[in-house]
Amino acid sequence: MKGDAVPPDEGAPPQVLALAKVVARLRAEIADLEGVAATTAVLERAKGVVMARTGLSADAAYELLTERGTRGGRTLLEECWLVLGQVGPGPGAVVPQGLPSSPLSLEDVEHPEPAARYAAGQRPVLTRLAEGLAEAGGVGDVAELLRAVLGGPAAVDGVMIYSRNPAGSLDLAGHAGVEETLAEQWRHVPPLSGIAAFEALASGHPVWLEEPDLDARRYLLIGDPPERWPSRAWLPAPAHGPARVAVGFLRTTPDRFDADTRTLLGRAVRLCGALLRTAGEPEAAAPGADADAVESVQRILDVLSGPAVLLTPLRSRSGEIEDYRIDAAAPGSVDVAGRRGKELVGRRVLETYPTVSGGALWQGYADTLATGAVYEGEPFTYQEVGAGFSQESVYSVRATRLDGRLVVSWIRHDTSEREVRRLADMQRLGNLGWAVWNLTEDTVVWSEQVYTIFGRDPAAGPIGLEELPRHVLAEDRARLGEALRLLGGGQRAADQPFRITTAQGVRHLRIVVEARVDAEGTPVEVHGFFQDLSALRDAELALRESERAVLVQRGMLQAEHALAARLQDTLLPVPEQSVELAGLCVDVAYVTSDSGVNVGGDWYSAIELPDGCGLFVVGDVAGHGLAAVGTMAQLRFTGKGMTITGSPLTAVLRRLNHLLLHSGPGPSATATMVMARYHPEDRSLAWARAGHLPPLLIREDRATFLPQPEGALLGAAFDSVYGQASVDLRPGDDLLLYTDGLVEEPGEELGAGLDRLADTARGLLREGYGETLARTLAALRVGNRDDICVLHLHVPDG
């Protein structure tokens, strides 16, 4: 009786009978599959031996075996056993006796591929691989064999073999050289982008990963860490149609795959292709299935949001329905094992939901098939058994007949416990709770969150509608009492804010209620909710205080701005047109910032000294507001006074630097500055700088920035050193002194701004804007973030 199923008692429940039939059918199918697999394995292994010895393709090897068997009067299976007998039987293999020897040689091949096509040393490797395939028992053995045979010649340290399932995902069918923990993490790969195995299957060509840094940005690499295998290869297994199996070769060496290695890996995968295809081939369509009709239904189900399947009845010889096969499934369909959508296609109902046999649902399916009447069953409880746990769920099922099949959809109802939990979470997160006052039975029900809102012990019970105003602050009691009185007098709803006192202090609450009335209009029930608005109220008060502070601060800033602007206008008058000074035409422009309410510390000086020379200064104090204006005035007048008394420019800068460093107990102010003294008798210009941008000289349509002498920021250090430079100006020359607001842009290098200034100034002079160059340059800076000060010096012709 070994291997026979014990027939169930005829008096057993329908579910047990159905399960027994499923078990018996599966056993029979397994026996048939084992026979087919054994025959297929012998054929595929023999083909592999022929391919390794002769270099033939898989199809050519099959034709050669068939021809040899026909010529010798043997079956194809007998010829395969003869070929494998030449290799040597594997452990435990049974070789039929009495078959004549039939050595295989290249002369038996009509059109053999030249042996020279094999790279040097590849033939022994492939022969060893073919001999191992004759003993391989599955995809796992193939992976171990590939790693063992290719470890030396191709430096392969790990092998992973993936097969694509009907749902489009990848399943790990075999691996070698990879830890079980890592293999388990990558056992199932959903159809994501950035997976090299998917790319190999989609393109049908190998994917070589030989640049770890670049590969890590393009692909999601397997490994922990991924740098463990710096070079990898993914090759699709040959197939009739789209490739469904990808073989990955992992190497711990960073070497690239040379041409011989790539050829060897490709031939090895082709040699294993027959065994690998069995891992990737989907189940054949059931005989008699109307493929076009099923495909049409599947396209409809693909756009449905809920669960639905197409069932085909499977009948016994007597015509009795034994089971149903799932031929199409919507993406939202899922069984107890977690299979979804098209993963269910081809499976039996009793395999996915085994306990439905013999019940009302089963009978409803049969009635719908027989009569065509739509079946809509009452909700029923189904016990799902998972890995180590069981769970009861409530379902409602609807079945409709469609050309001898059933279209079945269902709804899974959440349990009341789950709904209660979700409602409690919603009340807690929203800080609100519901309440019901039954006026006829004089009962009150509060949710748990209402007790939390009121800071009330649940043991004290809820508060009645009439006594609710007594728990409210005296200032709010009258308004709440009036709202509740109107609710009992015919008004259907009320929405009233009020305050209560708890152990944590005063709370701001809101009550929203409505009354249900009987046929005569008398209120019989009041229901609604309480909401704690204390946090919102605190936020509103904080916002008001913040707005008030902002308004006060804005007023102070505006007043300070007005004062600073007035002071600046008084200290720094700007002429409306160019003036003549020390034999030069001088044009001045000053533009305040378009952003903010503070004025800056930019300034200029342009005066004629007692000796007839001209003094020209442009400076910029760090910061804005009254402090910057005050520092600007201090530097401007001190520098002007020292220069008038005959002090050299470098001495003036040193004195101004010490002046800022001793200006107060806090951090000293800083400033940049450029000073120039012009001698009209020889047109020489001596100048010095303190951290300022270089002057721009435009001569004969060429713009250059003057070489800068040494000079640090004013107010930065006591030991700062300042140098002086000079330049001889010529008739027609133009010189620009300016502050950084004219050239700086956020996120842009300073050099780009200086180049832009040179090009713009040269273009404006070429277009005839010589008399208004400073004002034109400043006007072009729309949306400037900083103050702009420009001083244009022009040497007249003649």
Side-chain angles (χ1 to χ4, degrees):
M1 294 289 294
K2 183 177 180 181
D4 294 338
V6 178
D9 186 359
E10 292 297 333
Q15 293 86 346
V16 176
L17 292 175
L19 289 175
K21 291 179 180 179
V22 170
V23 172
R25 179 177 57 77
L26 291 177
R27 284 183 176 177
E29 290 179 357
I30 290 173
D32 294 340
L33 289 174
E34 287 176 346
V36 174
T39 303
T40 304
V42 172
L43 173 60
E44 297 300 339
R45 290 168 181 168
K47 287 167 56 180
V49 172
V50 174
M51 293 166 62
R53 288 179 172 178
T54 65
L56 291 175
S57 65
D59 294 338
Y62 177 81
E63 294 176 359
L64 178 60
L65 289 171
T66 303
E67 179 186 351
R68 287 284 303 167
T70 302
R71 194 189 321 167
R74 295 179 293 274
T75 65
L76 178 61
L77 185 60
E78 290 173 343
E79 185 67 27
C80 291
W81 277 118
L82 283 176
V83 173
L84 294 178
Q86 299 167 24
V87 177
V94 178
V95 181
Q97 302 297 320
L99 294 178
S101 174
S102 178
L104 189 66
S105 64
L106 288 176
E107 286 74 14
D108 294 319
V109 186
E110 292 184 2
H111 303 289
E113 296 184 11
R117 290 190 60 185
Y118 288 101
Q122 289 190 9
R123 184 182 295 277
V125 176
L126 295 176
T127 301
R128 181 184 171 195
L129 180 60
E131 293 174 351
L133 289 175
E135 305 175 5
V139 180
D141 294 342
V142 174
E144 292 287 354
L145 181 62
L146 288 172
R147 177 173 177 259
V149 174
L150 301 176
V156 172
D157 300 292
V159 177
M160 301 183 76
I161 302 176
Y162 277 104
S163 64
R164 182 163 53 188
N165 57 38
S169 302
L170 293 182
D171 295 323
L172 185 61
H175 64 89
V178 178
E179 296 83 357
E180 285 298 329
T181 303
L182 183 62
E184 188 62 31
Q185 294 175 351
W186 289 84
R187 190 163 300 279
H188 180 77
V189 181
L192 303 173
S193 60
I195 303 295
F198 276 114
E199 183 175 323
L201 292 177
S203 64
H205 300 288
V207 176
W208 308 98
L209 307 182
E210 303 166 310
E211 301 180 13
D213 295 337
L214 178 61
D215 296 336
R217 292 194 295 268
R218 296 177 55 195
Y219 299 100
L220 182 60
L221 300 180
I222 297 174
D224 189 14
E227 296 80 9
R228 173 184 175 184
W229 294 301
S231 61
R232 313 153 184 251
W234 288 95
L235 283 74
H240 302 291
R244 305 188 65 85
V245 176
V247 182
F249 297 101
L250 314 176
R251 306 201 304 185
T252 57
T253 60
D255 302 329
R256 303 178 71 88
F257 294 92
D258 56 29
D260 291 342
T261 302
R262 294 191 178 194
T263 301
L264 177 60
L265 294 181
R267 292 185 178 275
V269 172
R270 286 197 296 274
L271 191 60
C272 302
L275 287 177
L276 296 178
R277 280 199 298 271
T278 61
E281 291 179 352
E283 296 184 6
D290 186 349
D292 293 338
V294 171
E295 183 180 356
S296 299
V297 174
Q298 182 63 66
R299 287 199 299 267
I300 296 174
L301 296 184
D302 284 340
V303 300
L304 296 183
S305 60
V309 294
L310 176 67
L311 301 182
T312 298
L314 305 177
R315 301 180 184 271
S316 63
R317 293 181 179 179
S318 62
E320 180 184 357
I321 297 177
E322 293 185 328
D323 204 343
Y324 294 87
R325 184 183 63 243
I326 302 175
D327 283 344
S333 307
V334 60
D335 70 355
V336 295
R339 294 180 287 255
R340 291 183 175 273
K342 294 181 181 179
E343 293 179 330
L344 299 172
V345 174
R347 302 189 180 275
R348 311 291 179 91
V349 168
L350 293 183
E351 294 174 7
T352 54
Y353 295 95
T355 62
V356 300
S357 176
L361 177 64
W362 199 258
Q363 186 60 44
Y365 285 176
D367 293 342
T368 299
L369 281 174
T371 65
V374 176
Y375 170 75
E376 293 186 356
E378 295 293 330
F380 68 95
T381 301
Y382 180 82
Q383 185 174 16
E384 300 175 355
V385 180
F389 70 93
S390 62
Q391 178 180 342
E392 289 187 351
S393 298
V394 179
Y395 290 89
S396 295
V397 178
R398 186 179 192 273
T400 306
R401 188 174 69 181
L402 178 65
D403 295 334
R405 296 185 176 90
L406 292 177
V407 177
V408 178
S409 60
W410 64 92
I411 298 175
R412 179 176 177 177
H413 303 281
D414 288 329
T415 62
S416 58
E417 179 183 355
R418 191 178 305 170
E419 286 292 340
V420 170
R421 184 169 62 252
R422 289 180 177 177
L423 181 59
D425 290 340
M426 181 186 67
Q427 294 181 76
R428 176 179 53 82
L429 295 174
N431 206 6
L432 55 84
W434 56 266
V436 176
W437 292 270
N438 191 310
L439 304 182
T440 59
E441 299 179 3
D442 197 20
T443 58
V444 184
V445 180
W446 276 7
S447 67
E448 294 182 5
Q449 191 64 25
V450 177
Y451 291 99
T452 302
I453 291 173
F454 275 80
R456 185 177 177 86
D457 186 356
I463 300 174
L465 201 61
E466 296 81 2
E467 60 178 314
L468 182 61
R470 294 199 294 268
H471 295 267
V472 177
L473 290 184
E475 295 87 347
D476 301 336
R477 193 171 299 160
R479 291 198 305 272
L480 180 61
E482 179 64 16
L484 297 179
R485 186 186 64 79
L486 293 175
L487 189 68
Q491 185 171 304
R492 293 296 182 89
D495 185 343
Q496 184 67 39
F498 62 94
R499 292 169 295 173
I500 62 173
T501 302
T502 66
Q504 290 76 31
V506 176
R507 287 185 178 175
H508 296 259
L509 306 184
R510 175 194 181 195
I511 181 174
V512 179
V513 289
E514 66 177 4
R516 291 184 177 178
V517 298
D518 57 15
E520 299 178 354
T522 303
V524 295
E525 183 180 271
V526 176
H527 60 86
F529 66 87
F530 292 98
Q531 185 176 16
D532 188 351
L533 303 176
S534 301
L536 179 61
R537 180 64 176 174
D538 293 343
E540 290 178 352
L541 293 177
L543 180 59
R544 291 180 183 177
E545 290 297 327
S546 177
E547 290 176 347
R548 185 180 295 108
V550 168
L551 291 175
V552 172
Q553 183 68 18
R554 180 179 297 176
M556 294 176 60
L557 290 175
Q558 290 175 345
E560 180 179 335
H561 177 270
L563 177 60
R566 184 176 301 176
L567 181 60
Q568 190 179 51
D569 290 341
T570 303
L571 299 175
L572 196 67
V574 178
E576 296 182 357
Q577 57 187 8
S578 59
V579 296
E580 183 177 347
L581 187 65
L584 298 175
C585 292
V586 181
D587 185 29
V588 181
Y590 189 95
V591 179
T592 58
S593 169
D594 285 346
S595 61
V597 296
N598 284 320
V599 294
D602 292 15
W603 91 94
Y604 78 95
S605 284
I607 62 172
E608 186 171 326
L609 299 174
D611 59 0
C613 294
L615 174 65
F616 304 101
V617 184
V618 169
D620 186 0
V621 176
H624 295 81
L626 287 175
V629 174
T631 303
M632 175 269 289
Q634 190 179 30
L635 294 176
R636 183 169 184 264
F637 291 118
T638 303
K640 184 188 299 185
M642 293 183 62
T643 308
I644 290 175
T645 59
S647 299
L649 300 181
T650 55
V652 174
L653 292 179
R654 286 196 300 271
R655 179 61 182 271
L656 295 179
N657 180 55
H658 285 82
L659 178 65
L660 290 185
L661 289 170
H662 292 90
S663 60
S668 61
T670 58
T672 65
M673 187 172 175
V674 58
M675 303 182 68
R677 183 195 295 266
Y678 176 70
H679 299 270
E681 63 275 5
D682 59 359
R683 297 193 183 95
S684 64
L685 181 79
W687 68 285
R689 58 178 285 272
H692 205 82
L693 297 175
L696 174 63
L697 175 63
I698 304 174
R699 174 179 292 169
E700 297 179 354
D701 201 34
R702 291 184 57 190
T704 57
F705 292 96
L706 299 183
Q708 302 184 73
E710 186 177 7
L713 187 76
L714 297 178
F718 283 99
D719 55 353
S720 296
V721 178
Y722 300 95
Q724 180 173 298
S726 62
V727 60
D728 293 331
L729 299 181
R730 302 175 186 175
D733 284 353
D734 293 275
L735 188 72
L736 288 177
L737 308 179
Y738 51 92
T739 57
D740 54 8
L742 187 65
V743 295
E744 287 186 344
E745 285 286 353
E748 182 184 67
E749 294 185 357
L750 181 60
L754 292 174
D755 293 341
R756 183 174 57 250
L757 172 61
D759 294 340
T760 304
R762 188 173 62 249
L764 290 175
L765 288 174
R766 195 183 303 123
E767 295 173 8
Y769 288 91
E771 294 185 359
T772 60
L773 179 61
R775 283 167 282 176
T776 304
L777 286 172
L780 292 176
R781 297 287 293 168
V782 180
N784 53 298
R785 296 171 176 266
D786 197 2
D787 292 357
I788 296 174
C789 184
V790 186
L791 196 60
H792 172 214
L793 309 180
H794 174 71
V795 182
D797 296 330

